[in-house]
Amino acid sequence: MAVLLVDADCLCQEAVRKTLREDGLTVIAASDGLSGLDAAIAEKPDLILADFHLQGIDIFTFIKKIRRRAALAKTPLILLLPKEEEQNAAPLQAEGLAGVLTKPIDA
């Protein structure tokens, strides 16, 4: 199973990579929204983890572009965001989020 992780935070990327790899998953990482879109289109991951504060593209646009691709339309997408910003996820639920994980994420 392949997971696309889109997050500019190197510490978060490393913690998530370590945890997922220990569980036998393949991790594809991107540090900004535009390279994340490119990676999603090229790799067609089984799951996408994306930071709420993407660089290069806002999360609303990122999700809409993912959902417009037939090959990615049903790919589960989980939003990563700081605990104190959980309320920001509510408007995105209608866009097809599979869930929300709060940061920081410990390995």
Side-chain angles (χ1 to χ4, degrees), residues 78-101:
I78 296 176
L79 186 64
L80 305 172
L81 77 165
K83 176 88 173 146
E84 61 274 7
E85 294 184 33
E86 280 185 293
Q87 74 281 0
N88 289 333
L92 292 167
Q93 294 296 334
E95 300 299 329
L97 284 184
V100 175
L101 289 175

Side-chain angles (χ1 to χ4, degrees), residues 1-18 20-21 25-40 42-43 45 47-51 54 62 80:
M1 179 174 182
V3 178
L4 171 61
L5 171 61
V6 187
D7 196 326
D9 182 340
C10 295
L11 295 175
C12 178
Q13 267 199 25
E14 197 52 44
V16 172
R17 269 189 200 163
K18 179 181 177 194
L20 295 178
R21 285 183 178 155
L25 302 173
T26 300
V27 179
I28 306 153
S31 60
D32 64 72
L34 296 175
S35 61
L37 279 174
D38 290 342
E43 302 291 334
L47 171 68
I48 299 171
L49 300 174
D51 184 36
L54 292 178
F62 179 84
L80 305 172

Side-chain angles (χ1 to χ4, degrees), residues 33-76:
L34 296 175
S35 61
L37 279 174
D38 290 342
I41 293 164
E43 302 291 334
K44 297 175 186 56
D46 300 295
L47 171 68
I48 299 171
L49 300 174
D51 184 36
F52 180 78
H53 299 286
L54 292 178
Q55 295 179 4
I57 188 172
D58 68 83
I59 191 65
F60 293 92
T61 303
F62 179 84
I63 293 171
K64 286 179 182 176
K65 286 183 179 283
I66 292 291
R67 294 295 175 236
R68 286 183 187 148
R69 295 272 178 176
L72 299 170
K74 297 195 186 228
T75 302

